[in-house]
Amino acid sequence: MPDQSHAPHVVIVDDKLEMAEMLADGLADHGISAFAVATGKQALARIEAEPVDALVTDLRMPGMDGIELLTAARRAVPDLPVLVMTAYGALETAIESIRRGAYHYLTKPFKLDELVVYLGRALDESRVRREARTLRKSLRDEATKAGIIARSPAMRAALDVLARVAPSDAPVLLMGPTGAGKGLLARYLHAESGRTRGPFVTVNCAALPDPLLESELFGHAKGAFTGATTRRLGLFAEAEGGTMFLDEIGEMAPSLQAKLLDVLERRVVRPVGATKETPIDVRIVAATHRDLRRRVAEGLFREDLLYRLDVVPVHVPPLRERREDLPELAAELLAKARARHPTSRVERLSRECLLSMLEYPWPGNVRELAHAVERLVLLGREAEAQFADAALPHAPAGDAQGPHFAGPVQPLRELQQRYARWALAELSGNKSRTADRLGIDVKTLAKYLADDTSD
């Protein structure tokens, strides 16, 4: 007889107890531990008293019938798989049991092998659901460990939206400044979704040149271009059944935007140089620090693609808008930095250090905070870290409330021109980025740069 120590535990109920006992004996030969009872009340008492993996019940029974038992059992154990047995003349009742959550029904007389097959499938699906729940919890815990702290109203609002849309496959657009944690929130969304068991694939649209990004995303056929010596499936294929995170989507070239739009609309991918399309099942989560509507107005981003991506927009707040989170964030980052550098003298943040951190504007957001804490641990000379050891390049918020003016009053047009030229130089001559930071379009920037103030 098979080992019953780790066998699934099943309750079988039939008002003809001999029938239930015969099925229980038969299941035991297949490695399933089964307990036979004659009434619905006995079965329910067993289910409520100890762990049960599945229920097999007759439908027509005196007292509590099969439908009543099904309802009560699933109220006690919501995910309990239930198989019902019915006579040929009671098919309508059997169908009603399926509507109420039964996994399958068997018409008497049936072979034991048929029960074994359907019971095995039900137990497998139940096990997969339990594993998925455990994995989701594990991933949620990992996301929290990775730094998702949400005491502030702004961050709680973002997480609330993500939790509500997670069970769907709707595209999500994460909008927020660089370093605010958009990647962590994308992972949180994946962990909360029904795609937890699938892959989470990240691609930075700003990190690769356009031809390489196209090949990375969509794949390529052998010989599609010089150097394509083998066939490549692409990241969309790798993300099958899971989530694709398109970071910095605002930097994608218009030609690739058109191809991405086609993928989103038709749910198929055609690799570069290939003649056949491949269906895909991938959820899209995109992120950007740019104002995509402004880029649409400037002709740099497709409006139809924006509508496809912007189904659920989520604002990821900068660190200055979630100062309630900063003490806990800093403490967690400090613990991780100390673990990486166990010889450091730093054990905690001084009170003055934490107060200075709360006043500082953090233009680089959580990423800048992490780097600052790392420097505190590396450069600190005492057990209590001092803010000066963070070596931050900017002045605290109290000293940077706004620009300071001195000298003679100058024409506004001249100030516009001088400021625009300064901003362009600060941003390495990148006109598009400069216009974006100044809150104007590229044409207006060109006008400021060329403005003649001599009149």
Side-chain angles (χ1 to χ4, degrees):
M1 181 176 291
D3 179 15
Q4 298 287 307
S5 58
H6 301 290
H9 188 47
V10 178
V11 172
I12 302 177
V13 55
D14 194 309
D15 57 329
K16 297 180 176 61
L17 185 58
E18 311 83 39
M19 174 71 172
E21 290 174 339
M22 180 186 70
L23 292 175
D25 291 341
L27 291 178
D29 293 336
H30 288 80
I32 298 173
S33 173
F35 186 82
V37 296
T39 69
K41 288 185 177 180
Q42 290 175 325
L44 184 59
R46 189 89 181 188
I47 290 168
E48 293 176 339
E50 61 185 53
V52 172
D53 296 304
L55 168 67
V56 180
T57 179
D58 194 14
L59 279 179
R60 290 185 174 178
M61 298 183 295
M64 177 182 285
D65 64 19
I67 295 292
E68 292 173 321
L69 175 59
L70 165 67
T71 303
R74 287 182 63 83
R75 188 183 301 119
V77 184
D79 292 335
L80 183 69
V82 180
L83 282 75
V84 299
M85 304 177 290
T86 182
Y88 179 77
L91 285 181
E92 287 187 8
T93 309
I95 293 171
E96 175 62 22
S97 73
I98 298 296
R99 292 195 187 99
R100 297 199 183 196
Y103 178 81
H104 190 68
Y105 70 85
L106 298 146
T107 305
K108 295 179 179 179
F110 55 83
K111 294 182 179 180
L112 177 66
D113 288 346
E114 188 178 356
L115 174 60
V116 170
V117 168
Y118 285 109
L119 186 56
R121 291 178 185 175
L123 290 168
D124 284 344
E125 289 187 19
S126 179
R127 175 181 52 78
V128 168
R129 283 195 298 270
R130 287 196 304 271
E131 289 176 355
R133 282 197 302 271
T134 301
L135 184 57
R136 277 198 296 272
K137 183 181 184 303
S138 173
L139 287 173
R140 283 198 302 270
D141 293 343
E142 286 302 313
T144 300
K145 292 176 186 176
I148 299 183
I149 307 298
R151 294 186 180 277
S152 63
M155 200 61 175
R156 285 204 306 269
L159 288 181
D160 178 63
V161 173
L162 292 177
R164 281 187 284 149
V165 303
S168 74
D169 284 334
V172 173
L173 179 62
L174 301 171
M175 299 173 294
T178 301
K182 297 187 290 293
L184 287 176
L185 291 184
R187 288 183 179 277
Y188 172 85
L189 179 66
H190 176 70
E192 289 288 300
S193 74
R195 296 175 174 267
T196 305
R197 297 176 65 85
F200 179 85
V201 177
T202 298
V203 58
N204 189 320
C205 301
L208 298 172
D210 298 342
L212 183 56
L213 179 59
E214 181 178 14
S215 175
E216 284 291 305
L217 282 174
F218 308 112
H220 61 251
K222 181 179 180 181
F225 49 83
T226 303
T229 57
T230 59
R231 173 173 171 260
R232 177 177 172 79
L233 292 176
L235 295 178
F236 268 107
E238 290 183 19
E240 177 69 18
T243 302
M244 169 74 83
F245 177 46
L246 298 173
D247 199 8
E248 299 295 354
I249 187 70
E251 311 304 317
M252 182 177 282
S255 58
L256 290 186
Q257 293 175 26
K259 192 162 185 177
L260 175 61
L261 176 65
D262 185 59
V263 171
L264 293 175
E265 289 181 338
R266 301 197 297 123
R267 314 299 294 180
V268 296
V269 167
R270 176 180 291 177
V272 178
T275 57
K276 293 184 178 179
E277 296 175 334
T278 304
I280 60 165
D281 174 25
V282 175
R283 184 188 196 162
I284 300 296
V285 179
T288 182
H289 72 281
R290 293 192 177 275
D291 184 341
L292 292 186
R293 281 175 171 74
R294 180 179 297 163
R295 291 183 75 76
V296 168
E298 294 170 352
L300 300 174
F301 202 83
R302 294 181 63 105
E303 187 174 23
D304 45 6
L305 177 58
L306 174 59
Y307 291 145
R308 277 285 180 180
L309 296 172
D310 195 24
V311 175
V312 181
V314 178
H315 172 64
V316 183
L319 187 53
R320 65 179 180 272
E321 293 180 7
R322 44 182 298 220
R323 294 191 185 274
E324 299 95 325
D325 297 333
L326 195 145
E328 192 171 345
L329 274 171
E332 185 171 301
L333 292 168
L334 178 65
K336 291 181 178 180
R338 290 186 63 220
R340 288 191 295 270
H341 309 290
T343 60
S344 172
R345 296 181 180 180
V346 173
E347 298 178 3
R348 56 191 175 276
L349 303 177
S350 69
R351 182 175 181 275
E352 291 74 16
C353 181
L354 187 55
L355 289 174
S356 296
M357 283 182 166
L358 289 168
E359 293 176 358
Y360 185 76
W362 300 109
N365 298 293
V366 179
R367 186 176 298 153
E368 185 182 15
L369 175 63
H371 293 167
V373 171
E374 189 93 9
R375 286 195 294 273
L376 287 174
V377 170
L378 289 170
L379 303 177
R381 300 178 179 87
E382 303 172 0
E384 282 197 339
Q386 304 301 316
F387 187 69
D389 290 331
L392 289 164
H394 308 286
D399 297 330
Q401 296 299 321
H404 298 279
F405 302 97
V409 175
Q410 297 179 355
L412 186 59
R413 290 170 61 188
E414 183 178 345
L415 287 176
Q416 286 177 332
Q417 183 187 50
R418 290 173 62 184
Y419 186 67
R421 288 178 177 174
W422 172 82
L424 184 65
E426 285 289 305
L427 297 171
S428 305
N430 188 319
K431 292 184 178 181
S432 175
R433 189 177 171 200
T434 302
D436 188 57
R437 293 289 293 274
L438 292 176
I440 58 177
D441 56 39
V442 177
K443 290 182 179 179
T444 303
L445 175 63
K447 178 178 179 297
Y448 285 173
L449 294 172
D451 209 354
D452 182 4
T453 62
S454 60
D455 59 353

